[in-house]
Amino acid sequence: MTTTSSSIRPDVQTLRDRGDVDVLIIGGGINGLATFRDLALQGVDVALVEKGDFVSGASSASSHMVHGGIRYLENGEFRLVQEAVTERNALLKTAPHYVRPLETTIPIFKTFSGILSAPFRLLITHGRGKPSERGALLIKIGLVIYDTFSRGGGTVPRHKFHGRKKSLAALPRLNSDLKYTATYYDASMWDPERLALDVMHDGLVAGGPRASAVNYVSAVGMQHGSVQLRDELTGDEFAVRAKVVVNASGPWTDLTNGAMGMQTRFMGGTKGSHIVLDNEELLTATKGREIFFENSDGRIVLIFPLKGRVLVGTTDIDADPSKPAVITDDEIDYFFDLVKEVYPDITVDRSQIVYTFSGIRPLPHHDDTAPGFVSRDYRIVDDTHEGTPVLSLVGGKWTTFRALAEHLSTRTLETLGRPHRISTAGRPIGGGKDFPQTPAARGTWVRAHSAGHSRELVERMLTRYGTRATEVLEVIPAGAEPLPATDGYYREELAHLARTEQVVHLMDVLLRRTSIAFVGGMTARTLREVADAVAEPLGWDEARREAEIADATEQLRTMHLVELEEVSATRS
């Protein structure tokens, strides 16, 4: 949705007034935001622009996992697996409010399958050719190696292998044709978008007046060392001169370079889609575990209990980043078929879908390599355009964002001729700082912040925001009641998010500042309640409110297959 307002947002005005910066980062996904935080901590004059909302591109289509990538071992990506496991273990400590250990079970139906094709694909064909289902022996070898990489962190238990009888005793609704299960631990990412916003918040606090991050601003050109930027709300254009430009726009990296006059062919992203199901039977059958299953074609599906719903994903299909990523009927049928293979006596159908989302992975150009075997590692490409160094990030994944940002920040500082002085390793993120991690510590924290509020409300805010919940609790009046149709959110809470987190559109709130859309059950009343709550801090008149509601209704329908319910469901 575009707006016709001619007023300049304060954050945009601040960036325009700065004019010159040391580093301009283009792209407000997790990797761009993490690099922004890293550079801000070094005292660099840094600015970040994002053409849409923060975390609205590839980073918003996450499978909500923080994982070492056990299947990357078959690609020979041992460095990436080791880095990812290290970063997974670290995030469990630095972001415990959003990252939690997750027991993961692989149902296995064959014993020796894949034991010959996997090394052949690794050593000879390098990911080309048709993959095959991995059997117990190959998975066992992979998990032994995986445990070896995990040993240093001491954060999660080692894997366990069970035969059919013990497997079905623990998970009785699984397909009884299985031969084994393998169970290991990775981690879940409860709220990817909010985690990314915490990373950005830390960068803004660390950088103070030296750091600016602005959404709905795109890079549209480059001339004489200055990047031409456009405010997507007003259409106004202005220039910012940078000593180094960092292109972290994910699958749109080539398009961004093209807009600046550089022709590159770095990217070859693939689409990943997910569905969110309201299916109590399936939710109960998971027993709180992620079920990580492989189809006979080598593609992976995960069944993951989250926020009282079941997330099912993901596909891996070549995609054009210039076109919107939307789930197809074939992808939905694919998910249903695979769920039926794992849980043959549980019915899943389209009426249970409450939300869908799709995104394009920022993978490198891969010719005829099968999408599932394209490297998930990253690299930094140095170039110069119009006399200005341009660093393009190719690849990257959620789990490794901190390490990636440190590498990209270090390379940027080398280009500036400055040292990298402060590491982000072990540094708490946002509301993860001083987060209470035991029941006793949580109880103490809740009691200490319950003045005027119920224990239930404080618990809910702590779960949503970590220890940054104190900022939200300050604005919620004593005795306040949640809005009836918004999954337990409060009017003052939503107004606070609108006022402090650069909300521009209603969809920014529904999809990225909250989980309202994700859990489903939305009605026209939901949209009205949220729009009314954010209207005053955002300066919306009645016409703007109506336009935002209409636009959100259309986007939810076309991009996420959400048809607003007639009657609001009661949700906790």
Side-chain angles (χ1 to χ4, degrees):
M1 176 182 176
T2 58
T3 62
T4 56
S5 172
S6 60
S7 60
I8 299 176
R9 290 171 286 157
D11 297 291
V12 176
Q13 187 63 58
T14 297
L15 180 57
R16 294 182 67 153
D17 291 344
R18 290 179 72 186
D20 288 24
V21 297
D22 290 333
V23 180
L24 175 65
I25 301 171
I26 304 172
I30 184 56
N31 292 319
L33 292 173
T35 305
F36 171 77
R37 177 182 74 143
D38 197 299
L39 289 169
L41 284 165
Q42 317 304 320
V44 172
D45 279 313
V46 58
L48 178 145
V49 295
E50 161 58 44
K51 67 178 180 179
D53 190 20
F54 302 118
V55 213
S56 63
S59 297
S60 70
S62 158
S63 294
H64 291 64
M65 298 299 302
V66 176
H67 63 96
I70 181 174
R71 69 190 184 100
Y72 305 156
L73 293 171
E74 193 173 335
N75 291 12
E77 297 185 280
F78 299 109
R79 187 212 69 79
L80 177 61
V81 174
Q82 184 168 21
E83 180 179 78
V85 167
T86 300
E87 293 302 311
R88 178 202 67 192
N89 291 345
L91 280 167
L92 288 165
K93 299 174 182 177
T94 60
H97 56 322
Y98 294 138
V99 179
R100 307 169 188 181
L102 180 65
E103 190 174 10
T104 301
T105 293
I106 307 173
I108 305 168
F109 296 88
K110 295 182 179 181
T111 302
F112 299 106
S113 178
I115 198 66
L116 295 177
S117 62
F120 182 80
R121 187 163 52 249
L122 167 61
L123 300 174
I124 309 298
T125 65
H126 306 291
R128 296 175 179 85
K130 184 179 180 180
S132 61
E133 182 178 352
R134 296 154 184 85
L137 183 56
L138 185 63
I139 291 171
K140 179 68 176 179
I141 293 170
L143 285 171
V144 169
I145 299 172
Y146 199 59
D147 283 345
T148 302
F149 284 130
S150 297
R151 187 177 300 163
T155 307
V156 298
R158 292 176 176 273
H159 83 274
K160 295 179 181 178
F161 237 78
H162 294 305
R164 178 179 179 275
K165 183 177 180 180
K166 198 166 185 178
S167 297
L168 292 176
L171 296 164
R173 302 298 296 273
L174 284 178
N175 189 331
S176 60
D177 290 338
L178 63 78
K179 291 186 176 182
Y180 313 90
T181 59
T183 297
Y184 66 102
Y185 278 82
D186 261 326
S188 64
M189 185 162 48
W190 195 254
D191 263 310
E193 292 84 359
R194 290 227 55 89
L195 177 56
L197 291 169
D198 265 7
V199 170
M200 181 178 74
H201 173 267
D202 288 352
L204 290 169
V205 171
R210 288 175 169 264
S212 301
V214 186
N215 56 357
Y216 294 100
V217 171
S218 59
V220 295
M222 188 173 183
Q223 192 171 15
H224 307 307
S226 293
V227 179
Q228 193 74 12
L229 301 176
R230 180 170 61 216
D231 183 342
E232 294 296 327
L233 272 66
T234 66
D236 292 341
E237 295 188 3
F238 59 98
V240 169
R241 181 179 295 274
K243 296 176 183 176
V244 180
V245 174
V246 174
N247 182 353
S249 50
W252 300 277
T253 294
D254 291 328
L255 298 178
T256 298
N257 282 337
M260 293 190 295
M262 301 170 55
Q263 299 306 312
T264 59
R265 194 166 179 247
F266 299 142
M267 308 307 297
T270 65
K271 184 176 76 165
S273 296
H274 304 75
I275 58 175
V276 181
L277 298 172
D278 185 0
N279 183 319
E280 191 65 35
E281 192 177 11
L282 183 59
L283 180 66
T284 302
T286 66
K287 297 292 186 73
R289 306 185 191 188
E290 177 197 29
I291 306 301
F292 188 71
F293 176 72
E294 182 186 35
N295 192 17
S296 58
D297 65 1
R299 291 196 289 180
I300 298 297
V301 67
L302 55 91
I303 303 170
F304 174 22
L306 183 67
K307 300 183 181 183
R309 304 290 182 260
V310 181
L311 175 67
V312 182
T314 174
T315 50
D316 213 349
I317 304 167
D318 285 327
D320 182 350
S322 67
K323 299 177 181 178
V326 183
I327 196 169
T328 64
D329 287 340
D330 286 345
E331 288 176 292
I332 293 173
D333 289 340
Y334 171 76
F335 290 142
F336 285 170
D337 288 345
L338 288 180
V339 171
K340 184 62 67 175
E341 285 192 41
V342 184
Y343 292 107
D345 63 341
I346 295 179
T347 300
V348 290
D349 58 51
R350 279 170 165 73
S351 70
Q352 299 163 2
I353 298 175
V354 297
Y355 184 66
T356 73
F357 59 98
S358 302
I360 300 178
R361 300 175 182 89
L363 303 182
H365 183 74
H366 52 266
D367 294 320
D368 59 344
T369 299
F373 292 94
V374 179
S375 174
R376 265 56 173 175
D377 212 340
Y378 55 87
R379 72 180 194 272
I380 301 163
V381 181
D382 296 271
D383 210 332
T384 300
H385 183 59
E386 295 284 337
T388 300
V390 178
L391 306 182
S392 295
L393 174 64
V394 180
K397 58 197 292 287
W398 250 104
T399 303
T400 57
F401 72 81
R402 188 216 61 84
L404 181 157
E406 191 159 272
H407 291 151
L408 184 50
S409 176
T410 299
R411 182 78 67 86
T412 303
L413 289 165
E414 289 172 351
T415 305
L416 290 170
R418 297 172 58 171
H420 190 281
R421 301 179 297 105
I422 300 173
S423 175
T424 53
R427 180 180 289 269
I429 297 172
K433 184 177 182 182
D434 300 324
F435 184 78
Q437 298 193 56
T438 66
R442 190 177 180 95
T444 299
W445 196 97
V446 169
R447 287 191 297 274
H449 296 86
S450 292
H453 297 302
S454 68
R455 180 185 180 91
E456 179 187 14
L457 186 154
V458 179
E459 283 269 10
R460 183 178 290 170
M461 294 303 114
L462 181 61
T463 298
R464 281 184 188 158
Y465 306 105
T467 53
R468 289 188 65 200
T470 55
E471 302 168 19
V472 183
L473 290 169
E474 287 178 359
V475 303
I476 299 178
E481 293 292 331
L483 294 167
T486 53
D487 196 40
Y489 284 86
Y490 293 77
R491 181 184 182 91
E492 295 82 6
E493 175 188 5
L494 298 176
H496 172 76
L497 298 179
R499 189 165 46 248
T500 61
E501 295 188 346
Q502 294 195 54
V503 169
V504 171
H505 293 300
L506 183 56
M507 289 291 282
D508 301 342
V509 182
L510 297 172
L511 268 60
R512 291 172 287 276
R513 306 306 186 278
T514 73
S515 300
I516 293 171
F518 183 92
V519 298
M522 287 191 301
T523 66
R525 183 181 180 184
T526 304
L527 269 59
R528 172 66 58 186
E529 286 182 354
V530 177
D532 288 348
V534 303
E536 183 178 348
L538 296 179
W540 290 355
D541 58 17
E542 184 61 29
R544 176 67 184 274
R545 253 182 290 193
E546 292 301 322
E548 289 287 342
I549 290 171
D551 182 69
T553 301
E554 179 65 12
Q555 281 200 53
L556 287 168
R557 184 182 66 82
T558 58
M559 301 299 294
H560 304 284
L561 305 192
V562 174
E563 297 288 351
L564 298 180
E565 296 180 7
E566 293 299 322
V567 180
S568 177
T570 300
R571 306 191 303 268
S572 61

